[in-house]
Amino acid sequence: MAAVVMAGGAAAQDAAGWDGWYLGASLDAYAANLTEDEVFTASGTPTGQFAYSGDGVGASFFTGRNWQRDAMVYGVEFGVTTGRSVAADINSSTSSYFYDTGPMLGVKGRAGYLVRPDTLVFASAGLSVGNLNYNWRVNGVQERGDVWSQGYSLGLGVERQIGNGNALRLGLDYLQRDSDDFTTPSIPALADYTYSNTYDEVSVSVGFTHYFGD
């Protein structure tokens, strides 16, 4: 009887098909914060710090490769995430400050454990890069541009096989990125200052993954 149960469990684990390449997509609900540091360019003296926030829904697309060793699953994943928006209206009649991330590119390592042959619990850590776009208007003068940013991501998730190589994914992720310095010379009131930003985000995602196997 024990041999039958063990054989059945092994067959179910093989049927789940965690080893090999996969492709997927998800919908992401996010809450984002952006901290902006202002420095007087000539002296390098900090002159202010401003906080913006935003939330919304976006999408992610990913592909990766898993290696299964008994109940452990290791992998690497590459992804692109649609842009996120953060904004602040300091005074709607004279000034507004809008940011969005643009598409974000990422690579992460994953390590997981099969709590059941068809259910994988995993953690991830990786790198994220992309542009941070800004659109400012001060006293009727507008300037827009983009600046490079880079950082890291951490995540937890669970996937459940639903048959035919398909799986449902639920994830919780944290992302932080720091931007390069930038200036806004077209706006006279801000032309003597240099800016940089730290962007951080928490997101919850629901997705679909298809496993191709080896």
Side-chain angles (χ1 to χ4, degrees):
M1 180 67 175
V4 172
V5 172
M6 291 176 64
Q13 182 161 316
D14 290 339
W18 296 103
D19 205 63
W21 290 96
Y22 61 87
L23 185 69
S26 66
L27 289 177
D28 318 317
Y30 69 89
N33 294 287
L34 185 143
T35 303
E36 177 185 278
D37 292 304
E38 181 186 76
V39 173
F40 189 66
T41 304
S43 65
T45 304
T47 53
Q49 188 175 80
F50 311 94
Y52 308 148
S53 63
D55 55 68
V57 177
S60 296
F61 306 91
F62 50 87
T63 185
R65 173 65 158 91
N66 282 340
W67 293 268
Q68 182 175 345
R69 298 293 181 269
D70 298 321
M72 300 300 296
V73 179
Y74 307 95
V76 60
E77 183 172 295
F78 305 90
V80 58
T81 299
T82 58
R84 317 301 210 197
S85 295
V86 292
D89 285 315
I90 305 303
N91 184 323
S92 60
S93 64
T94 61
S95 59
S96 59
Y97 302 83
F98 293 94
Y99 285 98
D100 69 79
T101 64
M104 298 186 287
L105 304 177
V107 58
K108 62 181 70 174
R110 300 203 311 162
Y113 180 77
L114 293 173
V115 295
R116 292 173 28 148
D118 62 355
T119 305
L120 174 67
V121 176
F122 65 88
S124 66
L127 302 175
S128 175
V129 298
N131 283 337
L132 178 67
N133 307 310
Y134 58 91
N135 184 359
W136 292 8
R137 180 178 58 85
V138 179
N139 297 327
V141 180
Q142 185 177 39
E143 179 155 335
R144 62 177 65 192
D146 59 76
V147 61
W148 185 251
S149 65
Q150 58 281 316
Y152 67 91
S153 65
L154 301 171
L156 296 171
V158 60
E159 285 192 65
R160 177 71 179 270
Q161 291 275 357
I162 57 175
N164 298 317
N166 299 316
L168 298 178
R169 175 187 291 196
L170 178 65
L172 174 65
D173 291 277
Y174 174 77
L175 168 71
Q176 184 179 98
R177 293 195 343 205
D178 295 316
S179 79
D180 291 342
D181 293 344
F182 67 98
T183 59
T184 55
S186 298
I187 302 176
L190 304 179
D192 294 330
Y193 299 91
T194 298
Y195 298 90
S196 63
N197 295 290
T198 296
Y199 173 89
D200 63 88
E201 170 191 303
V202 175
S203 64
V204 176
S205 61
V206 178
F208 175 86
T209 310
H210 179 74
Y211 283 86
F212 298 99
D214 283 330

